[in-house]
Amino acid sequence: MLVSLKHILEKAHRGHYAVGAFNINNLETLQAVMAAAEEEQSPVIVQTSEGAIQYAGMEEIGALVHLAARKTKLPVVFHLDHGKNYDLVVEAIQSGLYTSVMFDGSSLPYAENIAATKRIVKMAHAKKISVEAELGAIAGIEDFVSVEERDAHFTDPQEAVEFVRKTGCDALAVAIGTSHGPFKFKGESRLDFARLKKIREAVGVPLVLHGASGVPTNIKKLCTKFGCEIAAAKGVSDSSIKKAVSLGINKVNVDTDLRIAFDAGIRKFLHDRPEVIDPREILKPAVALMTKVIRQKMKLLGCSGKG
Ligand code: G3H
Ligand code: 13P
Ligand code: ZN
């Protein structure tokens, strides 16, 4: 059953848990997400980036998600992730496929981000579509040499209040030290929890954590054993995710962990069974591994059994 982001995040907000938002580019990743949701009886957010749309086609990937959502009783959100291209966000809203869009104006000057987000919100709300917006730059704590520099890039709590009030967005992505991709930290996983606490106390809408992959050790080991060169990869620890959820994060974005699991599954299978050329056989372990990773994430976020 397709629902809006607002619907499931308000429930998560009241219940003090977070819902996983998983990036998909193909049928196999969608199969893994839906299998995990079914096994965990969890609500789920299926999201496609601009790159996913370029790769698979908006209508094509949208049709797959709609079919999957029709076959389950669980609440499913179909969300556009990081819509930076204004026209593409408008196209997604008008397509009748998405129940939620993210307009990512984080690279725009503050006033322009507000103005563009506000226009998107008006357009989306007229069609009962939710809007996630972003304020601050999603970047790692180690990307900044000084606290002053960090302050200038991370989400400012007072600015966030004004931003949400002026734009009318339904959810806000915050910058507190996570970053996209497998290489998030050189040392231990560190987030600006004091800032998150202040944002949560000041802002009323559900908050979103991007760059939340954990790079699970066992999956990374499997991947590197069979040739993938990501030995230095380090994600957000499970304890940090738990703490972020306890401090009010209600949507947690995960892509990298699925990529690593997909990669590990394929590499191992091709190594063990070099005689197989059937893509259905080759991709099966990748789907199984992604399903396992997604189930673990759902348990961690507390959305298992909430579907
Ligand atoms: O936020 C980034 C997501 O991991 C999507 O990545 O733009 O390569 O599809 P992508
Ligand atoms: P990861 O790279 O940590 O999986 O983050 C994904 C994300 O934030 C998608 O918007
Ligand atoms: Zn992101």
Side-chain angles (χ1 to χ4, degrees):
M1 175 188 38
L2 273 175
V3 298
S4 74
L5 185 70
K6 189 178 163 75
H7 176 78
I8 64 163
L9 289 195
E10 281 182 351
K11 226 174 136 195
H13 192 39
R14 287 196 299 274
H16 308 286
Y17 61 90
V19 180
F22 303 99
N23 285 74
I24 65 151
N25 296 280
N26 57 16
L27 172 67
E28 287 74 18
T29 312
L30 176 63
Q31 285 174 332
V33 173
M34 296 313 296
E38 215 57 68
E39 280 157 27
E40 292 299 321
Q41 285 297 293
S42 170
V44 73
I45 301 158
V46 179
Q47 55 187 19
T48 54
S49 66
E50 291 182 348
I53 291 170
Q54 240 173 44
Y55 173 75
M58 189 186 285
E59 275 185 285
E60 289 82 349
I61 200 105
L64 289 179
V65 175
H66 275 240
L67 279 173
R70 213 181 293 158
K71 285 185 175 172
T72 180
K73 289 193 173 72
L74 296 166
V76 179
V77 175
F78 184 36
H79 177 76
L80 174 72
D81 186 32
H82 290 287
K84 290 183 188 241
N85 177 333
Y86 187 89
D87 293 339
L88 186 80
V89 180
V90 173
E91 190 187 330
I93 292 169
Q94 289 172 345
S95 70
L97 295 167
Y98 290 87
T99 58
S100 173
V101 294
M102 174 183 190
F103 175 69
D104 179 356
S106 60
S107 59
L108 300 172
Y110 180 62
E112 279 177 45
N113 188 2
I114 290 182
T117 304
K118 198 174 160 182
R119 286 202 299 277
I120 291 291
V121 167
K122 196 167 171 222
M123 226 179 292
H125 283 183
K127 290 186 177 289
K128 297 196 170 16
I129 294 169
S130 312
V131 178
E132 175 185 335
E134 180 174 324
L135 184 63
I138 309 283
I141 277 188
E142 288 149 354
D143 292 338
F144 306 112
V145 288
S146 66
V147 174
E148 291 74 24
E149 202 191 343
R150 195 195 303 168
D151 275 349
H153 288 84
F154 284 3
T155 309
D156 176 76
Q158 283 322 308
E159 232 174 42
V161 175
E162 185 186 56
F163 184 85
V164 169
R165 181 170 47 80
K166 287 192 170 167
T167 61
C169 66
D170 304 292
L172 183 70
V174 293
I176 57 161
T178 56
S179 60
H180 292 109
F183 305 100
K184 300 183 195 297
F185 307 99
K186 288 190 195 79
E188 281 315 295
S189 146
R190 257 186 328 132
L191 301 181
D192 193 342
F193 290 119
R195 184 180 299 269
L196 174 59
K197 195 163 180 282
K198 280 189 196 146
I199 301 170
R200 177 68 295 160
E201 283 163 3
V203 171
V205 297
L207 302 176
V208 183
L209 189 66
H210 282 246
S213 277
V215 189
T217 312
N218 55 337
I219 309 289
K220 184 176 90 170
K221 268 194 185 150
L222 192 63
C223 205
T224 48
K225 183 176 172 192
F226 294 101
C228 184
E229 296 180 351
I230 55 157
K234 194 161 184 71
V236 184
S237 68
D238 283 359
S239 59
S240 291
I241 294 289
K242 260 205 144 102
K243 187 159 182 188
V245 174
S246 78
L247 289 173
I249 290 287
N250 296 121
K251 173 177 182 268
V252 169
N253 282 18
V254 175
D255 186 1
T256 296
D257 283 352
L258 307 190
R259 293 181 182 197
I260 298 174
F262 188 82
D263 195 84
I266 291 174
R267 282 179 193 268
K268 181 178 184 323
F269 185 84
L270 289 179
H271 174 271
D272 294 349
R273 303 282 308 278
E275 79 287 3
V276 178
I277 56 160
D278 184 339
R280 294 166 298 190
E281 287 302 306
I282 294 169
L283 293 174
K284 221 184 277 176
V287 174
L289 219 45
M290 287 192 288
T291 307
K292 194 174 153 190
V293 166
I294 298 165
R295 288 189 67 179
Q296 279 166 354
K297 196 64 80 178
M298 287 170 165
K299 285 191 176 85
L300 178 69
L301 302 181
C303 55
S304 296
K306 301 286 199 292

